[in-house]
Amino acid sequence: MIQARVVKALKQGFTLEAEFAVPEGVTSLFGPPAAGKTLLLEAVAGLTKPDEGRILLEGQVVFDRAAGVDLPARRRPCVYLPPAGALFPHLTLRENLLFAANCRRLPRLERHRRVNELLGGFGLMERASSYPRDIEDSGRRRAVIARALVARPKVLLADDPARGLAGPQRRQVYELLWQAGAGVAVLVATPSAEDCFELGAPMLVLARGRVVQSGTPREVMRQPASLDVARALGGHNLLPVEITALDPARKTSRLRLGQTELVGPYFPGRLRGDRVTLCVRPAELAALPAPGTPVLNQVAGRLLRVTELPGCVRLHFERGITVEMAPHEYDQQKHHRDWVIEFPPECLRVM
């Protein structure tokens, strides 16, 4: 388990001020570029010294500024994998793993047994005598993770471990991290929301140096904590609206989107006249060929372009509105250009 409170100010004006806990198993650390993900992992690993804070790994205090505790990286029960972590080019895969075992001073028989176990488990035994340059990229990534696990660390910190890999290879890397997560706290940093869904693990959202939200990928996607989170996640319709009415008795509100009025749920803490951002996912909207004048909670829109995605079609309309639809539904009405987009009241959220 990781328990940490980290404060680190950089000369560039950026300040990391994050507090979080990570249990055994896999957790993803999601955030846009420059959110502070690498800095946070390096602080936990002992590669960067925080200005303030306290870090515990599996109950062991490895950093406590107030108490003067700061264990060096080599004495912390964790391994840090930098982005696209490199192997020693002059050593074979087996020698790379043996080097890690020697550094951890494992007994000789244990070293060879552990290395063989990992080479076999990660599908690398047939390439054990090969040099990194002679192995495909996904094989090198597997070897990097295997080398990190040689000494059975209590914590594994992986910084964008699937960077640059194609879909099947990315999934393979994440399957290996799940395999590594048995009895180990694995924290995987990534700038990709899709990777978080691929991992299927609880996620922490880091924005501007702070952990601003936690939950499952589905929970975070359905209810982003802020506009920054929604923008970082991508895939949301973010539309400027004005609150024109609030009715706490009926638990409803009215919003103006351009010249269109929308009925939504009641928004506590908001006032009539507030200008806010409507946040709704494309999959929550419905689109129909325009039969006539739009009615309540319908917005007229001209279809600009279509993007085919795995399992659905994304329709791009005027005003930056996007809707996702099943391919067979779109095929039946794709000759239309003028549509109406329906905004279900229960799906409307404002920020």
Side-chain angles (χ1 to χ4, degrees), residues 305-316:
R305 62 187 179 90
V306 177
T307 303
E308 294 188 5
L309 301 173
C312 72
V313 174
R314 180 168 292 172
L315 310 182
H316 301 261

Side-chain angles (χ1 to χ4, degrees), residues 259-260 289-301 339-342:
Q259 301 302 314
T260 303
T293 304
V295 298
L296 193 66
N297 278 58
Q298 287 187 344
V299 176
W339 299 62
V340 291
I341 301 102
E342 294 186 346

Side-chain angles (χ1 to χ4, degrees), residues 222-233:
R222 286 183 62 85
Q223 192 69 50
S226 68
L227 200 53
D228 280 345
V229 174
R231 286 181 178 136
L233 288 167

